[in-house]
Amino acid sequence: MKKVQQGLGNPTVLRAGKQGEKFTMDTHIRCWRRYKVRPPKGSQTPWETDPKYCVYDKLHNDYGYTQEWVDFLIEELKDDAKFDAICKTVSSTPAK
């Protein structure tokens, strides 16, 4: 998540009256769901990922994400309209 946040220029957004990082775990979850990069938690077929972006780790029962995924997210989320469509966030300002 830090790589994406940094790649976006460390912007912040206003959430519940407080400034916070634009790219969070919630944002990441929304992104992998929207772009169908991996199956949902508890899937009977956790290995059915888009290998361009995500790889299932059977030993640890979790997922790893590729640099290509990071680069894709940075490019996609630079567009405020796309970010808003994913996260329904309306206010963003660059970090100081």
Side-chain angles (χ1 to χ4, degrees):
M1 287 191 312
K2 286 185 180 187
K3 287 182 180 182
V4 176
Q5 177 66 14
Q6 290 170 348
L8 292 170
N10 287 316
T12 60
V13 293
L14 189 61
R15 288 190 181 104
K18 296 181 183 179
Q19 288 295 119
E21 291 185 337
K22 183 174 185 174
F23 192 81
T24 64
M25 180 62 80
D26 179 68
T27 313
H28 187 243
I29 292 168
R30 290 170 186 261
C31 287
W32 64 250
R33 285 177 178 162
R34 179 182 185 97
Y35 296 107
K36 298 177 175 73
V37 170
R38 54 164 270 202
K41 185 176 181 174
S43 170
Q44 296 298 312
T45 56
W47 55 86
E48 290 184 356
T49 65
D50 180 341
K52 180 178 177 181
Y53 297 131
C54 179
V55 179
Y56 176 66
D57 182 341
K58 185 176 180 179
L59 181 64
H60 296 106
N61 193 33
D62 64 5
Y63 297 89
Y65 297 91
T66 66
Q67 184 61 47
E68 200 162 352
W69 175 241
V70 171
D71 296 341
F72 173 80
L73 288 178
I74 291 168
E75 286 305 311
E76 284 292 291
L77 299 179
K78 281 181 181 176
D79 180 334
D80 287 335
K82 287 182 182 180
F83 181 86
D84 291 346
I86 292 168
C87 298
K88 299 184 183 18
T89 300
V90 295
S91 175
S92 65
T93 57
K96 294 181 181 179

